[in-house]
Amino acid sequence: MISGAQIKAGRAMLGLSQEALAAQAGVSLPTVKRIESFGDNWTGTGRIYAKIRGLMENLGMEFIDENDGLVRGIRFSVIRKYREDPELRNVSKSV
């Protein structure tokens, strides 16, 4: 499950306001504010979880779970693609 802290951080990284996130995800503004205020303690519904996570992943974010052996967080997904695609690494070395 993603946390309110991850949502807030991802929103900031994308340059989205709470209003824009709510509108694009199809949830209410009070819901976004409540989720972010709970930080790591948010336990929202599956429907809201799926809407927000889906939107942020479509916008290029990757959620990092504690199960990945890392601290829970969020990052731009291009980092993952870069690590997994040797062609991308070769292009960046030749530039």
Side-chain angles (χ1 to χ4, degrees):
M1 201 53 113
I2 59 176
S3 71
Q6 285 174 294
I7 291 169
K8 186 174 185 176
R11 181 178 62 75
M13 291 169 70
L14 291 166
L16 292 175
S17 66
Q18 288 180 324
E19 293 83 1
L21 176 65
Q24 290 182 38
V27 300
S28 71
L29 177 57
T31 296
V32 171
K33 289 182 176 187
R34 188 171 48 255
I35 289 167
E36 290 187 358
S37 72
F38 283 124
D40 286 335
N41 299 317
W42 174 59
T43 55
T45 67
R47 181 182 62 83
I48 292 171
Y49 168 83
K51 285 183 171 189
I52 294 174
R53 183 173 190 139
L55 170 68
M56 295 186 92
E57 287 176 345
N58 285 339
L59 293 174
M61 302 307 297
E62 177 183 5
F63 291 92
I64 304 165
D65 297 322
E66 292 170 339
N67 297 342
D68 293 338
L70 303 169
V71 176
R72 182 190 291 181
I74 190 165
R75 63 184 172 201
F76 290 105
S77 61
V78 71
I79 294 169
R80 181 177 184 185
K81 291 176 185 172
Y82 176 84
R83 288 183 180 159
E84 294 173 354
D85 189 340
E87 288 186 31
L88 286 176
R89 289 194 304 269
N90 291 335
V91 169
S92 66
K93 288 179 185 176
S94 65
V95 175

